[in-house]
Amino acid sequence: MIVDGNELALLIWAGAGLYSSVYRYSGGVLREEFLLGYGENLIVNGASVTATTIDAIGLHRGNLLLKFGANSPLYGYLPRAISGNPTYFSLDPNVYLGDSTTGIKFNNNSFVLVSGAGLVRLDINLPQAEINTVDFDGDGISDPSLFEDQLATWFNHYSSNGFNTVAFGYNGIQAVPSDYDGDGKADITVYDPLSGVWNSFHSEAKRLRTDQFGYPGVKPVMSDYDGDGRSDLAVYDESNGLWYIFSSTKGFSVTQFGYPGTEAVPHDFDGDNITDLAVYDRELGVWYRFGSQTGFRIDQFGYPGVAPKAADFDGDGKDDLCVFDHRNGAWFIFGSTSGFKAVSFGFPGVEAVPADFDGDGMADLAVYNQKTGKWYHFGTKTGYSDKQL
C-alpha cells in the first residue's frame, strides 16, 4: 500500500501479474478511481515483460511509478489499456536506478529516491497538465480540470459531485472542452494540432462526434460566435491573423483580424452573448477588439511578460480586460463598470485561471501551481480556499 496526500494505491504482485487499484479521498468518501491491472502481462514500452519483484513504487496525481528488476529505469503507469493489458512507459530511459533503491517520494517536480546510500534527488519532468475551468455539470459554477496528454486522462473536480478521472484522448493532443451542444454543460473534447481533427463527447446526446477543422500551426479558439448558446469550432492563425469559424447557425467564415504575433483572446466584451473577435499584442500590451455591438476599438492595457486573462470580474455580463504577471502574482483589471484595480494574488511560477467558482456571476481570482498540483482561489462570495487536484 502507498499513500500520497488524498490518494491511496493497493498493489498485489504475483509473478508477472499486477493487481492494483487507486483510491482518492474526496468529500468524506474514499472512491476507487480506476483499476490499474488485473493479473495481465505487464507491458513496458510496447513489449511484454516478466518481472518478479518491484523494487520501488511511488504515487502522484493518480499515476503509479515503478522500478523493477535489475538496473531498471523508472516507469510510469499510463491509465489506459493496450490489448487489454496495463501499459507503462519509461519516464526517462537514460536514468537507471540500480538495485539499491527502496522507495520513491515526490518533492515538487522531482523524485526523492530512498536508497541504501540515503536520499538522492533526481529531477525528472513529470507530464505537464493543461488547465481548464469550465462548467461540466451545468450548475453555473466553473469546475477545475486538468488534462495530461501523455496519460490521455482528464482530472476533473465537479462542484456537484466531486473528483473524477476520464480517459479520453491520446498523446500529443490539446484539451478544448466547451458546450458544443447547447445543454449548459461543457463537453469533453480534444483537438489534434497536426491533423486539425476535433473529437468530442457530447453530454446531451451521449455520443462521440468527430470533425475536421484546422491545419498545423493554428490554435483552437472555440466559442459562441453567433449567440445560439453553442460553442462553434474555430481556429486562429497567429502567422497571418486569420480566423476560421464554423458557426452552428451561419456556417463557415474567414476573417482577417490581427497580425503576425498577436494572440487571439475572444470574449464577449459588449454583453450581447456573442463572442467578439479580439487579439492581444504581447510585446506592446495592446488589445484590438471588434465588438458585435460596439465595433472596433484599441486599448493599451498590459506590458511585456504579462498574460491576457479577460473575464467578467464585476458581474455586469461583459468580460473585462485583465492581465496577470506570473513573475510576482500581480493582477491588473479594468472592469467595465468597476474601473481599474490592481490585486496581488499568487506567487512566482503559478498560472492564472480566473473563473466563477462560487456561482455568483463574477469571475474569481484563482491560480494553479503545476509543480504541486494545487489550486488557490479567492471567491467573491466564498472567500479564500485551496484544493489539490
Side-chain angles (χ1 to χ4, degrees):
M1 182 177 71
I2 183 169
V3 178
D4 173 52
N6 61 346
E7 297 175 338
L8 177 147
L10 302 176
L11 299 96
I12 301 175
W13 182 256
L18 176 65
Y19 300 80
S20 53
S21 294
V22 166
Y23 297 81
R24 178 178 288 260
Y25 184 79
S26 176
V29 178
L30 187 66
R31 296 185 174 91
E32 183 178 42
E33 296 301 338
F34 40 76
L35 185 68
L36 299 183
Y38 197 70
E40 305 94 336
N41 291 330
L42 188 63
I43 304 297
V44 175
N45 289 348
S48 178
V49 299
T50 299
T52 57
T53 61
I54 296 180
D55 296 333
I57 59 176
L59 178 67
H60 180 65
R61 205 185 293 161
N63 308 318
L64 268 184
L65 296 154
L66 306 177
K67 187 188 93 62
F68 55 90
N71 295 320
S72 168
L74 277 176
Y75 290 97
Y77 176 74
L78 186 67
R80 58 189 175 125
I82 296 178
S83 302
N85 294 319
T87 303
Y88 291 76
F89 64 95
S90 175
L91 291 177
D92 189 340
N94 298 315
V95 176
Y96 288 82
L97 306 179
D99 291 328
S100 62
T101 303
T102 58
I104 302 174
K105 296 183 179 180
F106 284 91
N107 181 14
N108 291 335
N109 230 35
S110 303
F111 298 105
V112 177
L113 309 177
V114 183
S115 69
L119 297 180
V120 179
R121 181 184 175 94
L122 177 65
D123 289 321
I124 294 180
N125 290 324
L126 295 174
Q128 293 294 293
E130 290 184 48
I131 308 168
N132 290 284
T133 52
V134 291
D135 183 7
F136 283 109
D137 46 18
D139 62 354
I141 299 175
S142 294
D143 305 312
S145 172
L146 302 177
F147 174 71
E148 291 185 349
D149 73 327
Q150 275 191 2
L151 307 173
T153 301
W154 300 66
F155 300 86
N156 307 321
H157 195 285
Y158 297 162
S159 51
S160 61
N161 57 6
F163 178 84
N164 82 338
T165 60
V166 179
F168 188 81
Y170 49 89
N171 193 12
I173 58 175
Q174 297 173 243
V176 286
S178 198
D179 183 9
Y180 296 96
D181 53 16
D183 65 348
K185 300 177 182 180
D187 306 309
I188 288 182
T189 307
V190 292
Y191 173 76
D192 191 322
L194 296 180
S195 65
V197 170
W198 304 63
N199 286 294
S200 179
F201 190 82
H202 286 194
S203 53
E204 182 180 37
K206 306 297 183 185
R207 64 181 179 88
L208 177 68
R209 172 165 178 159
T210 299
D211 295 278
Q212 165 71 49
F213 195 77
Y215 55 88
V218 297
K219 294 186 177 181
V221 287
M222 61 288 174
S223 196
D224 184 5
Y225 293 96
D226 52 17
D228 67 346
R230 292 177 286 177
S231 289
D232 306 309
L233 302 186
V235 293
Y236 174 73
D237 193 328
E238 275 197 6
S239 68
N240 54 25
L242 286 177
W243 298 66
Y244 301 85
I245 300 172
F246 195 87
S247 163
S248 48
T249 60
K250 299 178 180 179
F252 177 72
S253 66
V254 182
T255 305
Q256 172 75 54
F257 193 78
Y259 52 87
T262 53
E263 178 180 348
V265 286
H267 285 273
D268 180 12
F269 292 103
D270 51 19
D272 62 353
N273 296 318
I274 300 174
T275 298
D276 307 313
L277 301 186
V279 295
Y280 176 74
D281 190 314
R282 294 180 290 267
E283 296 299 320
L284 301 177
V286 173
W287 301 67
Y288 302 89
R289 298 182 277 163
F290 194 90
S292 47
Q293 294 293 325
T294 55
F296 179 71
R297 65 177 297 170
I298 302 176
D299 296 279
Q300 170 70 54
F301 195 77
Y303 54 90
V306 297
K309 294 293 176 180
D312 183 7
F313 292 96
D314 49 20
D316 64 351
K318 302 175 183 179
D319 286 330
D320 307 309
L321 301 185
C322 172
V323 294
F324 175 74
D325 195 327
H326 68 92
R327 296 163 295 193
N328 55 24
W331 299 69
F332 301 93
I333 302 169
F334 196 90
S336 48
T337 59
S338 57
F340 174 77
K341 67 178 178 179
V343 182
S344 179
F345 188 78
F347 49 88
V350 295
E351 300 178 48
V353 285
D356 182 8
F357 293 105
D358 51 20
D360 64 352
M362 291 185 278
D364 306 314
L365 302 183
V367 295
Y368 175 70
N369 188 340
Q370 279 276 7
K371 290 184 177 180
T372 63
K374 199 165 188 177
W375 297 70
Y376 303 87
H377 154 243
F378 195 90
T380 50
K381 183 171 68 173
T382 55
Y384 176 79
S385 67
D386 57 64
K387 66 179 65 177
Q388 187 77 33
L389 184 60

